[in-house]
């Protein structure tokens, strides 16, 4: 428990520092974090019968993510994302020459990492620039609401949890924990609305609900992934916490929902 607390404390500090110290530190930190998550994903799913293109997938991730980050920071260069198309085709050609009994499974998991990890992190990064210029209020709010949801779900689940939420994939999750997380997240949303007034209390509350729902499904799907391949943790990069995917599974589903809400509704 002590190791878990220390690891969590310092990792949260680093993450908050990246958000609060400006657009470039924010963009670079989450770019590196996304690439590390992709690397962890490929290591997680690799087995005797499955071998995604690890290096090629990491390069493709960069070809997709970097132009978007450059565009968000400088307002130019988005067209370079087109270079990812021939690279994606090249990975198919490379697979022709690899000795594998399941080549399309390899390609499927190689490409899936982009959809499952890189795209959500792009949405999260873009949320900080939703108004044109960098505004740390939005990504900070998303993180705080996500942490409030996770903490509330854990505390209420431990004290009151009886009714299983989705026992087949996550035996410890309960409906009591889910609604406890919703309560905690809505409480933090109200506090955020008093400090970051560019969004109304209704908007922060709506974002909170999207994060609770999206975060819960993100957690369940990551649990489904680990159970399907017989793994307990996604990795060991964070002592006491497991891997990066274990910590950011909720963000993967919540971030796109929040961005779409901000773009089309708010």
């Amino acid at each position: 428990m002590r190791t878990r607390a220390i690891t969590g404390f310092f990792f949260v500090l680093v993450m908050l520092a990246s958000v609060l110290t400006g657009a470039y530190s924010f963009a670079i930190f989450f770019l590196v974090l996304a690439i590390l998550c992709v690397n962890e994903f490929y290591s997680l799913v690799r087995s005797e019968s499955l071998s995604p293109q690890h290096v090629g997938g990491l390069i493709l991730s960069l070809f997709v993510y970097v132009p978007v980050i450059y565009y968000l920071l400088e307002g130019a260069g988005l067209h370079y994302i087109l270079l990812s198309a021939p690279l994606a085709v090249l990975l198919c050609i490379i697979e022709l020459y690899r000795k594998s009994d399941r080549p399309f499974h390899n390609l499927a998991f190689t490409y899936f990492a982009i959809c499952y990890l890189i795209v959500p992190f792009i949405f999260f990064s873009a949320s900080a620039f939703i108004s044109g210029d960098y505004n740390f209020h939005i990504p900070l709010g998303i993180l705080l609401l996500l942490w409030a949801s996770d903490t509330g779900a854990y505390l209420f689940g431990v004290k009151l949890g009886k009714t299983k939420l989705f026992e087949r994939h996550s035996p410890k999750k309960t409906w009591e924990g889910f609604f406890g997380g919703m309560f905690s997240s809505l409480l933090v949303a109200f506090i955020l609305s008093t400090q970051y007034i560019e969004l109304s209390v209704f908007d922060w509350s709506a974002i909170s609900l999207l994060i609770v729902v999206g975060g819960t499904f993100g957690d369940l799907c990551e649990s489904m992934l680990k159970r399907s391949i017989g793994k307990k943790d996604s990795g060991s990069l964070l002592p006491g916490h497991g891997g990066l995917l274990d910590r950011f599974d909720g963000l993967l589903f919540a971030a796109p929902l929040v961005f779409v809400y901000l773009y089309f509704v708010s």
Side-chain angles (χ1 to χ4, degrees), residues 16 42 45 52 57 93 104 147 162-163 187 198 203 207 227 235 243 246:
L16 291 178
Y42 288 143
V45 301
I93 297 173
F104 271 93
W147 293 337
K162 293 181 180 179
T163 311
L187 180 61
E198 63 267 38
D203 287 328
I207 290 171
R227 284 181 174 274
D246 294 322

Side-chain angles (χ1 to χ4, degrees), residues 74-146:
E74 301 295 337
L78 186 59
H79 58 283
Y80 287 114
I81 199 173
L82 296 174
L83 295 174
S84 63
L87 178 56
V89 173
L90 179 60
L91 295 184
C92 286
I93 297 173
I94 291 173
E95 195 64 39
L96 288 171
Y97 293 91
R98 300 177 79 205
K99 295 180 179 180
S100 173
D101 295 329
R102 308 174 73 187
F104 271 93
H105 289 77
N106 296 338
L107 286 172
F109 275 88
T110 301
Y111 296 141
F112 179 69
I114 310 299
C115 300
Y116 180 52
L117 299 168
I118 294 300
V119 172
F121 272 106
I122 286 175
F123 276 114
F124 177 70
S125 298
S127 68
F129 298 86
I130 194 75
S131 60
D133 296 322
Y134 177 70
N135 181 1
F136 74 85
H137 295 173
I138 304 299
L140 178 61
I142 292 173
L143 292 174
L144 291 176
L145 291 171
L146 192 60

